[in-house]
Amino acid sequence: MARESDRVDTEAPRARRADARRNVEAILDAAVACLSRDPDASVVDIAAAASVGRVTLYGHFKTRAELIDAALVRTIQHADQILETTDTTGDPTEALTRLVASSWQIVDQFRNILVAAQRELPAERIRGVHDRVVRRIQSLLERGQRGGAFRTDLPKRWMVTTVISLMHAAAEDAAAGRVKVDQVPGLITATLLAAFTAPGAKVPAARPSA
Amino acid sequence: MARESDRVDTEAPRARRADARRNVEAILDAAVACLSRDPDASVVDIAAAASVGRVTLYGHFKTRAELIDAALVRTIQHADQILETTDTTGDPTEALTRLVASSWQIVDQFRNILVAAQRELPAERIRGVHDRVVRRIQSLLERGQRGGAFRTDLPKRWMVTTVISLMHAAAEDAAAGRVKVDQVPGLITATLLAAFTAPGAKVPAARPSA
DNA sequence: CATAACTCGTACAGCGGCGTACTAGTTATG
DNA sequence: CATAACTAGTACGCCGCTGTACGAGTTATG
């Protein structure tokens, strides 16, 4: 079935007026900001933060779910752009280090958006939206496996899960002040590089990325 | 300040009537069951599941939060009992294997209770309740570090976070059908044993626990 | 068996969020 | 400049959940 929110980059048959487009942007910005602070932020909060009447908001997004979906898509696209500029070629261990450094920043900033989405949107929708970024991780892992840098005795799915879950866990620990933010990427990479080493092989030393 | 729910194993000044105690048990059972299915389960749902009037429920738990707190405590105690019977002596890698096998089952069953608690209860309360079980993991890790089995270049806190987060991630993957339940403990241990190997050292082979 | 403990159902009040009508006003755009 | 697009505000109606009050019935317990 077709979703309205598929028109993310395609445009409606009739061009919308300039101020309308500006408002939609403001609403999405506000949504991202509010939901990042509080995943339970209400439509009222978001409309207020966007300096827009609540009714106006409903003019652009039929329901709260649709709004959150749009905010999620926007965030993911933003993230994907950043990851696009991250060099994932060369030595897989170093590439993983770079990828983790970039990804974690995003995860840390926007994880609450994901929380909001998980409460409002069906699970498969969320997976669908994350497809590109997951694929990015997966293909790096596969390349590392083919080159012998990463172990091949674990399912690829599980390795991806490991990467993602450690980044989220680190974000929570950082938010709770349990670890210092600037040392987080180092912790994640040091852990992942070891975790992805085959039994019997020697664990490579993690090198700082910055 | 003192909490009402501290009277978990201590008893009230006046002994309560037998049927009252039975009802409280039924309510707690129902709460655990309902919240496991849906972390947003309402008081109505829980009362119904316990075959008890909603008002009766309120007679025992002043608020929804108090009920969830009690359900959480009950679950943790139950978990702690199971972990109590798990042998964490001997070779640390094997001990970790056993501990993960036991713990994961619990996490898989009851993670939704934690979700409910996280939405209703203050974070420090949740950490407080988990204290014993976290300590259990931590002391095993420390023992492994002293014996040279586990790396010492990562903060203990982070290693504990890694253990816990992988178990939760695995539980979600299992619930989504992304991995088969019976191979999950193996995946977690294989990953953890490698992750906890020092750079330059060889990763030990994971041995099945069952 | 008498009393206190406990339970039940219904009903009510409050809250906050969601989504919609309606009217009146403003502003971009051809 | 005329029209259509857009916005604002207010005011509803709806819903579900929480917590409380009441009055009457049941049951364990000394």
Side-chain angles (χ1 to χ4, degrees), chain B residues 5-179:
Chain B
S5 36
D6 280 347
R7 55 139 172 72
V8 170
D9 39 9
T10 76
E11 40 205 346
R14 274 278 159 92
R16 281 181 305 186
R17 242 173 60 180
D19 55 346
R21 260 178 290 131
R22 249 184 299 121
N23 269 337
V24 171
E25 286 303 300
I27 292 172
L28 285 176
D29 284 345
V32 170
C34 289
L35 294 173
S36 291
R37 257 188 288 105
D38 172 18
D40 286 322
S42 73
V43 177
V44 187
D45 301 333
I46 297 175
S51 307
V52 149
R54 197 170 61 97
V55 193
T56 302
L57 191 154
Y58 276 108
H60 294 294
F61 305 92
K62 284 200 244 307
T63 115
R64 176 190 155 86
E66 190 176 314
L67 171 58
I68 289 186
D69 190 296
L72 176 65
V73 168
R74 182 198 192 71
T75 303
I76 296 281
Q77 282 182 336
H78 173 54
D80 203 57
Q81 276 182 352
I82 295 183
L83 296 187
E84 187 66 41
T85 73
T86 304
D87 176 22
T88 54
T89 64
D91 176 34
T93 67
E94 292 179 10
L96 182 62
T97 304
R98 286 191 295 269
L99 186 60
V100 164
S102 303
S103 303
W104 182 73
Q105 296 233 15
I106 303 168
V107 170
D108 186 43
Q109 261 185 27
F110 300 117
R111 85 203 133 93
N112 274 340
I113 307 249
L114 179 59
V115 172
Q118 280 166 338
R119 291 187 195 166
E120 195 88 29
L121 273 31
E124 84 255 10
R125 170 63 179 162
I126 294 180
R127 287 213 60 87
V129 171
H130 278 80
D131 190 60
R132 281 178 59 88
V133 46
V134 167
R135 226 185 276 280
R136 220 177 267 276
I137 298 174
Q138 189 160 352
S139 66
L140 171 56
L141 292 181
E142 282 170 357
R143 191 166 70 80
Q145 285 182 324
R146 283 196 301 273
F150 301 146
R151 67 200 294 182
T152 55
D153 63 331
L154 294 178
K156 286 187 283 282
R157 262 197 220 288
W158 170 250
M159 291 173 74
V160 174
T161 295
T162 302
V163 174
I164 296 178
S165 102
L166 280 191
M167 290 196 297
H168 277 92
E172 277 181 32
D173 268 24
R178 250 163 281 147
V179 293

Side-chain angles (χ1 to χ4, degrees), chain A residues 151 154 158 162 166 186-199 201 203-204 206, chain B residues 93 96 141 145 149-155 158-163 165-166 187-204 206:
Chain A
R151 67 201 293 183
L154 294 179
W158 169 250
T162 302
L166 279 191
L187 291 180
I188 303 180
T189 359
T191 308
L192 285 180
L193 288 184
F196 292 163
T197 303
V203 171
Chain B
T93 67
L96 182 62
L141 292 181
Q145 285 182 324
F150 301 146
R151 67 200 294 182
T152 55
D153 63 331
L154 294 178
W158 170 250
M159 291 173 74
V160 174
T161 295
T162 302
V163 174
S165 102
L166 280 191
L187 291 180
I188 303 180
T189 6
T191 309
L192 285 180
L193 287 185
F196 292 163
T197 303
K202 282 187 187 173
V203 172

Side-chain angles (χ1 to χ4, degrees), chain A residues 96 137-138 140-142 144-145 149-166 192-193 195-198, chain B residues 166 173 179 187 191:
Chain A
L96 182 62
I137 298 175
Q138 188 160 353
L140 171 55
L141 291 182
E142 281 170 359
Q145 285 182 325
F150 301 146
R151 67 201 293 183
T152 55
D153 62 331
L154 294 179
K156 287 187 282 282
R157 264 198 219 286
W158 169 250
M159 291 174 75
V160 174
T161 295
T162 302
V163 174
I164 295 179
S165 103
L166 279 191
L192 285 180
L193 288 184
F196 292 163
T197 303
Chain B
L166 280 191
D173 268 24
V179 293
L187 291 180
T191 309

Side-chain angles (χ1 to χ4, degrees), chain A residues 178-194:
Chain A
R178 249 164 281 148
V179 292
K180 289 179 198 151
V181 172
D182 54 335
Q183 65 183 12
V184 164
L187 291 180
I188 303 180
T189 359
T191 308
L192 285 180
L193 288 184

